[in-house]
């Protein structure tokens, strides 16, 4: 059984109340779908939560659509029916690598057998108090990722009318990172997505050091340390580059002084030649 939950938004110490329709989904091999709706007291969508997941030729799913309800969703089904595939689809669809799924090492392994590509579309709400670039995307942002059997991937970002806003993969990935950061969606955080293998590993862990590693990852201490280390490396590289440029500047100054001296000497010689010519005429 796969458990997916989202939590009520808490702002300024006031917990907001939401209503929902639908609470669970019985999922079996690629069959579609249970609809759910979400409203705040004012009827606005809550920004940053998942509205729809579409999987095409992804793992066991040929053509599957899921629209979760708010708060808690339980996904049930027999072994091999694709419960975990839904979770992996969310992870991969939101631009994570295969290593974060703890399932496969290559993205091509997620393509359904016999298919040439897999398509994942993750739509998130973009309305309410803090939407991301509402004028450009409207009330819905869709991450559309395609995995090709050749090993390549492509990424697009769509607006609420399914129009392509970013169609070039590199630009779409950069914009996608900004969107995830805006909504504070941390796919690689085990408190956001706890993979089955990771959960089983935790139950077997006896060493405090291993549990602390999980704590570091969950509280972003590990990520912060890596960012500081990367920043330190960049500072060292920049200092070395500045020192090299300063040496280069000194060399250029010496060369400039040499040319200046040669110019001044040539100027003096030219003046002497002019004076000699004038005397010769007299």
């Amino acid at each position: 059984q796969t458990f997916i939950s989202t939590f009520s938004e808490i702002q300024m110490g006031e917990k907001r109340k939401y209503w929902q329709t639908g609470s669970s989904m019985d999922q079996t091999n690629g069959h579609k779908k249970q609809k759910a709706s979400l409203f705040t007291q004012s009827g606005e969508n809550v920004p940053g939560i998942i509205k729809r997941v579409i999987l095409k030729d992804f793992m066991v799913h040929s053509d599957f659509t899921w629209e979760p309800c708010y708060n808690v969703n339980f996904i049930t089904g027999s072994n091999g029916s694709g419960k975990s595939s839904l979770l992996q689809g969310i992870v991969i669809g939101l631009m994570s690598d295969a290593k974060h799924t703890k399932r496969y090492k290559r993205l091509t392994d997620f393509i359904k057998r016999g298919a040439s590509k897999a398509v994942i579309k993750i739509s998130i709400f973009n309305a309410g108090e803090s939407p991301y670039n509402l004028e450009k995307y409207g009330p819905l942002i869709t991450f559309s990722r395609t995995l090709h059997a050749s090993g390549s991937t492509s990424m697009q970002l769509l607006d609420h009318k399914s129009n392509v806003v970013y169609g070039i993969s590199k630009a779409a990935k950069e914009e996608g990172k900004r969107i995830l950061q805006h909504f504070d969606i941390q796919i690689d955080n085990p408190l956001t997505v706890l993979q089955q293998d990771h959960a089983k590993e935790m139950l077997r862990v006896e060493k405090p050091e291993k549990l602390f590693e999980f704590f570091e990852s969950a509280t972003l201490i590990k990520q912060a340390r890596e960012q500081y280390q990367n920043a330190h490396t960049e500072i060292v590289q920049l200092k070395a580059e500045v020192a090299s440029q300063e040496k280069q500047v000194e060399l250029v100054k010496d060369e400039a002084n040499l040319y200046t001296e040669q110019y001044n000497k040539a100027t003096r010689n030219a003046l002497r030649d002019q004076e000699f010519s004038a005397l010769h005429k007299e």
Side-chain angles (χ1 to χ4, degrees), residues 202-244:
M202 284 183 58
L203 295 175
R204 294 194 298 265
V205 168
E206 297 180 357
K207 295 183 179 180
E209 295 83 359
K210 291 293 183 180
L211 292 176
F212 185 72
E213 287 180 4
F214 177 82
F215 170 79
E216 284 186 313
S217 179
T219 55
L220 301 183
I221 293 176
K222 181 179 180 181
Q223 291 89 327
R225 184 185 295 114
E226 291 175 351
Q227 290 176 358
Y228 278 120
Q229 290 174 343
N230 293 335
H232 175 71
T233 301
E234 290 181 4
I235 290 173
V236 171
Q237 292 175 347
L238 288 173
K239 285 183 176 179
E241 185 176 349
V242 168
S244 175

Coordinates of all heavy atoms in Angstrom, one line a residue, residues 202-244:
M202 N 15.8 1.9 6.9 CA 15.8 2.6 8.2 C 15.4 1.6 9.3 O 16.0 1.7 10.4 CB 14.7 3.7 8.2 CG 15.2 5.0 7.5 SD 13.9 6.2 7.6 CE 13.8 6.4 9.4
L203 N 14.5 0.7 9.0 CA 14.1 -0.3 10.0 C 15.2 -1.3 10.4 O 15.3 -1.8 11.5 CB 12.9 -1.1 9.5 CG 11.6 -0.3 9.3 CD1 10.6 -1.2 8.6 CD2 11.1 0.3 10.6
R204 N 16.2 -1.4 9.4 CA 17.3 -2.3 9.7 C 18.5 -1.6 10.3 O 19.5 -2.3 10.8 CB 17.7 -3.0 8.4 CG 16.7 -4.0 7.8 CD 17.3 -4.8 6.7 NE 17.8 -4.0 5.6 CZ 17.2 -3.8 4.5 NH1 15.9 -4.2 4.4 NH2 17.7 -3.0 3.5
V205 N 18.5 -0.3 10.3 CA 19.6 0.4 10.8 C 19.7 0.4 12.3 O 18.7 0.6 13.0 CB 19.5 1.9 10.4 CG1 20.5 2.8 11.1 CG2 19.8 2.0 8.9
E206 N 20.9 0.1 12.8 CA 21.1 0.0 14.3 C 22.2 1.1 14.7 O 22.2 1.5 15.8 CB 21.6 -1.3 14.7 CG 20.6 -2.4 14.5 CD 21.1 -3.8 14.9 OE1 22.2 -3.9 15.3 OE2 20.3 -4.8 14.8
K207 N 23.0 1.5 13.8 CA 24.1 2.5 14.1 C 23.5 3.9 14.2 O 22.8 4.3 13.2 CB 25.2 2.4 13.1 CG 25.9 1.1 13.0 CD 27.1 1.1 12.0 CE 27.9 -0.2 12.0 NZ 29.0 -0.1 11.1
P208 N 23.8 4.6 15.2 CA 23.3 6.0 15.4 C 23.8 6.9 14.2 O 23.1 7.8 13.8 CB 23.9 6.4 16.7 CG 24.1 5.2 17.5 CD 24.5 4.2 16.4
E209 N 25.0 6.6 13.7 CA 25.5 7.4 12.6 C 24.6 7.3 11.4 O 24.4 8.4 10.7 CB 26.9 6.9 12.2 CG 28.0 7.1 13.3 CD 28.0 6.0 14.3 OE1 27.1 5.0 14.2 OE2 28.8 6.0 15.3
K210 N 24.0 6.2 11.1 CA 23.2 6.0 9.9 C 21.9 6.8 10.1 O 21.3 7.4 9.2 CB 22.9 4.6 9.7 CG 24.1 3.8 9.2 CD 24.5 4.2 7.8 CE 25.6 3.4 7.2 NZ 26.1 3.8 5.9
L211 N 21.3 6.7 11.3 CA 20.1 7.5 11.6 C 20.3 9.0 11.5 O 19.5 9.7 11.1 CB 19.6 7.1 13.0 CG 19.0 5.7 13.1 CD1 18.6 5.4 14.6 CD2 17.8 5.4 12.2
F212 N 21.5 9.4 12.0 CA 21.9 10.8 11.9 C 22.0 11.3 10.4 O 21.7 12.4 10.1 CB 23.2 11.1 12.7 CG 23.5 12.6 12.8 CD1 22.7 13.4 13.6 CD2 24.5 13.1 12.0 CE1 23.0 14.8 13.6 CE2 24.8 14.5 12.1 CZ 24.0 15.3 12.9
E213 N 22.5 10.4 9.6 CA 22.5 10.7 8.2 C 21.1 11.0 7.6 O 20.9 11.9 6.8 CB 23.2 9.6 7.4 CG 24.7 9.5 7.6 CD 25.3 8.3 6.8 OE1 24.6 7.7 6.1 OE2 26.5 8.1 7.0
F214 N 20.2 10.2 8.0 CA 18.8 10.4 7.6 C 18.3 11.7 8.2 O 17.6 12.5 7.4 CB 17.9 9.2 8.1 CG 16.5 9.4 7.8 CD1 16.0 9.1 6.6 CD2 15.6 9.9 8.8 CE1 14.6 9.3 6.3 CE2 14.2 10.1 8.5 CZ 13.8 9.8 7.2
F215 N 18.6 12.0 9.4 CA 18.2 13.3 10.0 C 18.8 14.5 9.2 O 18.1 15.5 9.0 CB 18.7 13.3 11.5 CG 18.5 14.7 12.1 CD1 17.3 15.1 12.6 CD2 19.6 15.5 12.3 CE1 17.2 16.4 13.2 CE2 19.5 16.7 12.9 CZ 18.3 17.2 13.3
E216 N 20.1 14.3 8.9 CA 20.7 15.4 8.1 C 20.0 15.6 6.8 O 19.8 16.8 6.3 CB 22.2 15.0 7.9 CG 23.1 15.2 9.1 CD 24.6 15.0 8.7 OE1 24.8 14.0 8.0 OE2 25.4 15.8 9.1
S217 N 19.7 14.5 6.1 CA 19.0 14.6 4.8 C 17.6 15.2 4.9 O 17.2 16.1 4.1 CB 19.0 13.3 4.2 OG 18.3 13.3 2.9
A218 N 16.9 14.8 6.0 CA 15.5 15.3 6.2 C 15.5 16.7 6.6 O 14.5 17.4 6.2 CB 14.8 14.4 7.2
T219 N 16.4 17.2 7.3 CA 16.4 18.6 7.8 C 17.2 19.5 6.9 O 17.4 20.7 7.2 CB 17.0 18.7 9.2 OG1 18.3 18.1 9.2 CG2 16.1 18.0 10.2
L220 N 17.7 19.0 5.7 CA 18.5 19.8 4.8 C 19.8 20.2 5.3 O 20.5 21.0 4.6 CB 17.7 21.0 4.3 CG 16.3 20.7 3.6 CD1 15.6 22.0 3.2 CD2 16.4 19.7 2.5
I221 N 20.3 19.7 6.4 CA 21.6 20.0 6.9 C 22.7 19.5 5.9 O 23.6 20.2 5.6 CB 21.9 19.4 8.3 CG1 21.0 20.0 9.3 CG2 23.3 19.5 8.7 CD1 21.1 19.4 10.7
K222 N 22.4 18.3 5.4 CA 23.4 17.7 4.4 C 23.4 18.6 3.1 O 24.5 18.9 2.6 CB 22.9 16.3 4.0 CG 23.8 15.6 3.0 CD 23.3 14.2 2.7 CE 24.2 13.5 1.7 NZ 23.8 12.1 1.4
Q223 N 22.3 19.0 2.6 CA 22.2 19.8 1.4 C 22.9 21.2 1.7 O 23.6 21.7 0.9 CB 20.8 20.0 1.0 CG 20.1 18.8 0.4 CD 19.4 18.0 1.5 OE1 19.9 17.9 2.6 NE2 18.4 17.3 1.1
A224 N 22.7 21.7 2.9 CA 23.3 23.0 3.2 C 24.8 22.9 3.3 O 25.5 23.8 2.8 CB 22.7 23.5 4.6
R225 N 25.3 21.8 3.9 CA 26.7 21.6 4.0 C 27.3 21.5 2.6 O 28.4 22.0 2.3 CB 27.0 20.3 4.8 CG 28.5 20.1 5.0 CD 28.8 18.8 5.7 NE 28.3 18.8 7.1 CZ 27.3 18.0 7.4 NH1 26.7 17.2 6.6 NH2 26.9 18.0 8.7
E226 N 26.6 20.7 1.7 CA 27.1 20.6 0.3 C 27.2 21.9 -0.4 O 28.1 22.2 -1.1 CB 26.3 19.6 -0.4 CG 26.4 18.2 0.1 CD 25.4 17.2 -0.6 OE1 24.5 17.7 -1.4 OE2 25.6 16.0 -0.5
Q227 N 26.1 22.8 -0.1 CA 26.1 24.1 -0.8 C 27.2 25.0 -0.3 O 27.8 25.7 -1.0 CB 24.7 24.8 -0.5 CG 23.6 24.1 -1.3 CD 22.2 24.7 -0.9 OE1 22.2 25.6 -0.1 NE2 21.2 24.3 -1.6
Y228 N 27.5 24.9 1.1 CA 28.6 25.7 1.6 C 29.9 25.2 1.1 O 30.8 26.0 0.8 CB 28.6 25.5 3.2 CG 27.7 26.5 3.8 CD1 26.7 26.0 4.7 CD2 27.8 27.9 3.7 CE1 25.8 26.9 5.3 CE2 26.9 28.7 4.3 CZ 25.9 28.2 5.1 OH 25.0 29.1 5.7
Q229 N 30.1 23.9 0.9 CA 31.3 23.3 0.4 C 31.5 23.7 -1.1 O 32.6 24.1 -1.5 CB 31.3 21.8 0.5 CG 31.4 21.3 1.9 CD 31.3 19.8 2.0 OE1 30.8 19.1 1.1 NE2 31.7 19.2 3.1
N230 N 30.4 23.7 -1.8 CA 30.5 24.2 -3.2 C 30.8 25.7 -3.3 O 31.6 26.1 -4.1 CB 29.1 23.9 -3.9 CG 28.9 22.4 -4.1 OD1 29.8 21.6 -4.2 ND2 27.6 22.1 -4.3
A231 N 30.2 26.4 -2.4 CA 30.5 27.9 -2.4 C 32.0 28.1 -2.0 O 32.6 29.0 -2.6 CB 29.6 28.6 -1.3
H232 N 32.5 27.3 -1.0 CA 33.9 27.5 -0.6 C 34.8 27.2 -1.8 O 35.8 27.9 -2.1 CB 34.2 26.5 0.5 CG 35.6 26.5 0.9 ND1 36.2 27.6 1.6 CD2 36.6 25.6 0.8 CE1 37.5 27.3 1.8 NE2 37.7 26.1 1.3
T233 N 34.5 26.1 -2.5 CA 35.3 25.7 -3.7 C 35.3 26.8 -4.8 O 36.3 27.2 -5.3 CB 34.7 24.4 -4.3 OG1 34.8 23.4 -3.3 CG2 35.6 24.0 -5.5
E234 N 34.1 27.4 -5.0 CA 34.0 28.5 -6.0 C 34.8 29.7 -5.5 O 35.4 30.4 -6.3 CB 32.5 28.9 -6.1 CG 31.7 27.8 -6.9 CD 30.3 28.2 -7.1 OE1 29.9 29.4 -6.7 OE2 29.5 27.4 -7.6
I235 N 34.8 30.0 -4.2 CA 35.5 31.1 -3.7 C 37.0 30.9 -3.9 O 37.7 31.8 -4.3 CB 35.2 31.4 -2.2 CG1 33.8 31.9 -2.0 CG2 36.2 32.3 -1.5 CD1 33.3 32.0 -0.6
V236 N 37.5 29.7 -3.6 CA 38.9 29.4 -3.8 C 39.3 29.5 -5.2 O 40.3 30.1 -5.6 CB 39.2 27.9 -3.3 CG1 40.6 27.5 -3.7 CG2 39.0 27.8 -1.8
Q237 N 38.4 29.0 -6.1 CA 38.7 29.1 -7.6 C 38.7 30.6 -8.0 O 39.6 31.0 -8.8 CB 37.7 28.3 -8.3 CG 37.8 26.8 -8.2 CD 36.6 26.1 -8.8 OE1 35.6 26.7 -9.3 NE2 36.8 24.8 -9.0
L238 N 37.8 31.4 -7.5 CA 37.7 32.8 -7.9 C 38.9 33.6 -7.4 O 39.5 34.4 -8.0 CB 36.4 33.4 -7.3 CG 35.1 33.0 -8.0 CD1 33.9 33.6 -7.2 CD2 35.1 33.5 -9.4
K239 N 39.4 33.2 -6.1 CA 40.6 33.9 -5.6 C 41.8 33.6 -6.4 O 42.6 34.4 -6.7 CB 40.8 33.4 -4.1 CG 39.8 34.1 -3.1 CD 40.2 33.7 -1.7 CE 39.3 34.4 -0.7 NZ 39.6 33.9 0.7
A240 N 41.9 32.3 -6.8 CA 43.0 31.9 -7.7 C 43.0 32.6 -9.0 O 44.0 33.1 -9.6 CB 43.0 30.4 -7.9
E241 N 41.7 32.8 -9.6 CA 41.6 33.4 -10.8 C 41.9 34.9 -10.7 O 42.6 35.5 -11.6 CB 40.1 33.3 -11.3 CG 39.9 33.9 -12.7 CD 38.5 33.6 -13.2 OE1 37.8 32.8 -12.6 OE2 38.1 34.2 -14.3
V242 N 41.5 35.5 -9.6 CA 41.8 37.0 -9.3 C 43.3 37.2 -9.2 O 43.9 38.1 -9.8 CB 41.1 37.5 -8.1 CG1 41.6 38.8 -7.6 CG2 39.6 37.5 -8.3
A243 N 44.0 36.3 -8.5 CA 45.4 36.4 -8.3 C 46.1 36.2 -9.7 O 47.1 37.0 -10.0 CB 45.9 35.3 -7.4
S244 N 45.6 35.3 -10.5 CA 46.2 35.1 -11.8 C 46.0 36.4 -12.7 O 46.9 36.8 -13.4 CB 45.6 33.9 -12.5 OG 46.0 33.8 -13.8

